[in-house]
Amino acid sequence: GTVDYGWARRKATQRLGVSRERELPDMMMIETAFRNYQQLFRPQDLSCVEIQREAAVEMMSWLKSFSPHLAGPLARGISAPRADLLIYVYADSPKELVFTLMEKQLVWESDDLLLENQQQVQLFFVPHAGQQFRLLLLPLSSLRQPPLDEVTGRRDVGLNLKQLQMIQEKRRPDSSHPEPA
């Protein structure tokens, strides 16, 4: 599953009997509340961010020729166990991606998806390393204009492989100074 704030909003609308959209918190408020909830009541879930980002680094390394970008909540440091990992990949033909997935001996399913700008793209579901990846295949021309993030309402540029690796390096304990015995 994914961290789906839209679903949470719709459920709250039904439960609270609210009919006007503006009476509900916006997506950023929901994400902030989710982050606070995890920190207070589910700190064990915070470790899944590191695990999922490491898996994303591996997948993105394999997909380097597709200019992969980690997108969605995980790019902002938010996740939950069993959350899907969204990676944008760029190519003008799905064949290229399919051949790469076959070469890496990965299994996948794909489906068509209609973006907010009415652009039809393919979404590949790829299980790997105990994670479920969603690879959103976008045309090369979309590199400068990725899809909108449903939470921020802005273009979701995400993190490229180098940026993600730098974040991961900063979060690792400093191994250059051994612990005293």
Side-chain angles (χ1 to χ4, degrees):
T2 63
V3 179
D4 187 351
Y5 305 126
W7 175 83
R9 271 183 114 213
R10 290 186 297 278
K11 187 174 178 181
T13 301
Q14 291 172 342
R15 283 192 175 171
L16 299 172
V18 176
S19 59
R20 289 189 298 249
E21 188 81 10
R22 68 176 181 256
E23 293 178 10
L24 292 174
D26 66 24
M27 298 295 223
M28 284 297 291
M29 292 172 81
I30 293 171
E31 185 170 90
T32 300
F34 180 72
R35 182 189 307 259
N36 292 340
Y37 170 82
Q38 276 190 315
Q39 289 172 342
L40 288 171
F41 301 109
R42 300 201 46 92
Q44 67 275 16
D45 287 357
L46 299 176
S47 66
C48 72
V49 169
E50 296 304 313
I51 294 166
Q52 290 171 344
R53 281 183 168 174
E54 284 298 326
V57 165
E58 180 179 36
M59 180 66 74
M60 290 169 70
S61 296
W62 291 346
L63 302 172
K64 200 177 219 175
S65 63
F66 299 97
S67 302
H69 285 72
L70 179 64
L74 187 58
R76 292 187 296 276
I78 299 170
S79 193
R82 296 177 302 284
D84 292 353
L85 285 62
L86 176 61
I87 297 176
Y88 296 155
V89 289
Y90 298 87
D92 285 326
S93 167
K95 290 179 189 175
E96 300 168 48
L97 180 59
V98 167
F99 288 143
T100 300
L101 295 174
M102 289 171 59
E103 180 183 297
K104 298 295 179 187
Q105 299 181 349
L106 297 169
V107 296
W108 75 91
E109 291 181 24
S110 67
D111 201 358
D112 292 332
L113 180 69
L114 194 62
L115 297 179
E116 73 281 345
N117 64 359
Q118 301 305 308
Q119 179 182 26
Q120 185 142 355
V121 295
Q122 279 193 285
L123 184 62
F124 288 77
F125 302 92
V126 183
H128 175 67
Q131 306 298 326
Q132 178 66 36
F133 290 89
R134 291 185 299 146
L135 306 178
L136 184 61
L137 180 61
L138 300 163
L140 287 170
S141 60
S142 296
L143 254 169
R144 296 191 189 272
Q145 281 218 293
L148 294 177
D149 183 293
E150 72 170 12
V151 174
T152 65
R154 291 184 241 135
R155 296 278 171 205
D156 189 1
V157 177
L159 300 171
N160 65 31
L161 179 58
K162 186 175 180 178
Q163 292 167 325
L164 182 56
Q165 288 171 325
M166 286 174 55
I167 289 169
Q168 290 302 95
E169 282 298 316
K170 286 179 185 175
R171 297 184 70 89
R172 286 194 186 104
D174 186 6
S175 57
S176 64
H177 303 289
E179 298 269 331

